[in-house]
Amino acid sequence: MNQLITEANKCLLCKNPRCKKNCPVGTPIPEIIQLFKENQIEKAGEILFNNNPLSAICAVVCAHENQCSGNCVKGIKGDPVEFYEIEKYISTNYLRNVSFKKPSTMLEDRIAIVGSGPAGITIAFILAFKGYKVTIFESKDKIGGVLRYGIPEFRLPKDILDTLYLRLLELGVKVRFNTLIGPVITIDKLFSDGYQAIFLGTGVWNAKTLNIKGETLGNVHFAIDYLKKPDPYLLGNKVCIIGAGNVAMDAARTAKAHGVQDVCIMYRKGFEDMSATKAEIKETLEDGVHFELFKSPLELFENGVKFIETNRIVDENGKVRTVPKEGTEGFFACDSIIIAVGQTPRNNIVANNKGFETDPKGLLVVDDIGHTSVDGVFASGDVVTGSRTVVEAANFAKIVAESIDHYCKSRRSTKQENKTVS
């Protein structure tokens, strides 16, 4: 607590805070710090939650170096204010101690939310507070989506998701677990059962491939599958992770935590080009993971990876690309290989329900407030944007929640006018 007070006292309470401006969800950081200094912890927690229901999670997993802390004026000549530590304390305590109640006036409108990842959870809270009857359809046995099944426990303790679940139940939200929407329960079936609007937040759970030979071998795995439940995997003593995003770092650190002695990340570029945050890279190095840089895989084998060395080229537009160096093929011996080069959406809903427009990557096409090409169906999160940050998902989900509310209000108004005319 003393450390948090020290951090709070560092804040200059800027009138035009760059920290807030560079937070995707516009967290009112100076206001929260002032309330914290005044010991108004509960009020600060309420403001944080109302602004972002996933505040307690974003405080842990956000790329703070690019957002609040990375834009703090104190960081220009010294150490920035580590607001996220203050936010974590306030928001976690608020969630654990608050008790929600159903709105005094409940609406007749029923909303279906497909997927309980960051976007789904955010929209469920917002619409439940407005009095909507919300049902979440989750294909797995617990809520959280990528938060639970894609981020390791050492990075994000899962008890915070269990607490969010309890808060949703207090608001009257219903959750149907182990229920896949698309092939059996269709979009048309949901509408026929009285759902006025449907939100799709199904995420991206199909792994991208390298499109090279050997990806189906028994010692080759995809990171998104491995991270869901790493315990059954017997990876051997030496593992090669291919990729350099946060998922690759998580897979490498998870393998280390599960007893793999030698874990290596292979990447075709250098550290400065990695999409993983600097904090994640630093922690991965501290965990004893080593890196094989400027190496591009050519083929996967049961005893390792055939690769070719690369050169880093920056073109006239500033875009970084790599080109193979002739005559530099080599072999990296290992017991297992984990591919972590991104994810794509599954097509359970699109393949079994007509009318959905998708882009060439299979992502749902929506307008700037979340409308899909099917009337009454909305979408946001990774299934629309591809893999993005939790806070970006929460921010767009707020916009989509208001869009759903407006859509339902318009329908109610039209029904009322028709009744009046008749």
Side-chain angles (χ1 to χ4, degrees), residues 8 11 13 28-40:
C11 181
L13 302 177
I29 295 172
E31 180 184 356
I32 297 301
I33 287 181
Q34 184 61 47
L35 289 171
F36 178 74
K37 291 167 72 172
E38 295 169 358
N39 202 33
Q40 297 189 59

Side-chain angles (χ1 to χ4, degrees), residues 124-267:
F125 272 117
I126 293 171
L127 295 182
F129 274 117
K130 290 179 181 292
Y132 287 95
K133 297 177 180 178
V134 176
T135 299
I136 296 175
F137 294 86
E138 171 51 53
S139 64
K140 299 179 178 61
D141 61 353
K142 291 185 178 181
I143 74 161
V146 69
L147 300 173
R148 186 180 294 275
Y149 298 101
I151 302 178
E153 177 76 21
F154 56 76
R155 261 223 305 146
L156 180 66
K158 301 306 182 286
D159 61 342
I160 194 68
L161 294 170
D162 298 331
T163 304
L164 283 167
Y165 174 55
L166 294 176
R167 300 289 87 85
L168 285 167
L169 295 181
E170 289 172 349
L171 289 168
V173 173
K174 302 286 194 302
V175 183
R176 286 187 58 165
F177 293 111
N178 301 311
T179 304
L180 182 66
I181 300 300
V184 178
I185 299 180
T186 63
I187 297 298
D188 287 343
K189 176 62 176 171
L190 291 173
F191 279 131
S192 70
D193 279 349
Y195 289 92
Q196 275 67 46
I198 299 167
F199 170 75
L200 305 180
T202 49
V204 283
W205 290 98
N206 278 349
K208 283 184 180 178
T209 66
L210 294 165
N211 289 320
I212 61 176
K213 191 175 179 181
E215 289 185 277
T216 66
L217 297 177
N219 63 320
V220 180
H221 312 283
F222 291 111
I224 192 65
D225 300 323
Y226 173 64
L227 289 171
K228 287 177 195 173
K229 196 169 184 179
D231 291 345
Y233 288 78
L234 301 175
L235 300 177
N237 294 320
K238 189 174 183 180
V239 174
C240 179
I241 315 286
I242 299 173
N246 285 339
V247 172
M249 304 300 154
D250 286 344
R253 297 178 67 196
T254 299
K256 266 288 184 182
H258 280 73
V260 178
Q261 295 176 8
D262 190 348
V263 179
C264 166
I265 287 178
M266 181 178 289
Y267 184 49

Side-chain angles (χ1 to χ4, degrees), residues 255-301:
K256 266 288 184 182
H258 280 73
V260 178
Q261 295 176 8
D262 190 348
V263 179
C264 166
I265 287 178
M266 181 178 289
Y267 184 49
R268 70 186 189 282
K269 300 178 185 176
F271 281 110
E272 68 272 29
D273 301 310
M274 293 181 179
S275 59
T277 64
K278 292 178 182 176
E280 270 259 58
I281 295 169
K282 178 175 178 289
E283 290 169 356
T284 302
L285 286 166
E286 289 173 349
D287 280 355
V289 175
H290 67 276
F291 290 75
E292 291 285 340
L293 304 178
F294 299 104
K295 291 180 174 62
S296 182
L298 296 173
E299 186 175 347
L300 309 182
F301 294 86

